[in-house]
Amino acid sequence: MADGAPTPTLKIGDVLEGRYRLDAILGEGGIGQVFEATQLALGTRVAIKTLRPEHAAEEHLVKRFRREAKALTELSHPHIVAVTDLGVAEGVPYLVMEKVEGLPLSKLLKREVLPPDRALALTRQILRAVAHAH
């Protein structure tokens, strides 16, 4: 971190603000991670997106992360994941989303060639979500 403080870390088994237990990593990107987690009070499965701890002190990235969360909370569409909470744990911003079951499209496309009717149906869903967001 810029002020010389140690970089915070989040790992499997951590409990965020006494409410969400991180159970597994679902994915990672350049500046973020997505965990599968349990909302402890209700026992429900959720997905939690965090900034990577090394980026948590970069104010422009924190602002962008919050803008993304706010934009997603304003969207309600069957093909857009719902955001249900936002917080900061151990200096790391996070947002809580519904946990969607299924295979990521990227893995599906590596596993099989989609029949034209299925590819068209998926494309329509994606385009409807994009159109709704814009």
Side-chain angles (χ1 to χ4, degrees), residues 3-26:
D3 62 3
T7 301
T9 59
L10 295 177
K11 60 191 176 308
I12 304 304
D14 284 353
V15 176
L16 308 184
E17 300 183 299
R19 300 184 300 157
Y20 304 101
R21 184 186 63 238
L22 303 179
D23 299 322
I25 293 180
L26 293 174

Side-chain angles (χ1 to χ4, degrees), residues 20 22 24 26 33-39 44-50 81-85 94-100:
Y20 304 101
L22 303 179
L26 293 174
Q33 298 172 290
V34 179
F35 291 89
E36 182 172 0
T38 301
Q39 199 284 345
T44 56
R45 308 297 293 155
V46 295
I48 295 183
K49 181 176 183 177
T50 70
V81 68
V83 172
T84 59
D85 198 4
Y94 69 89
L95 62 91
V96 181
M97 304 172 283
E98 66 179 313
K99 170 75 169 65
V100 178

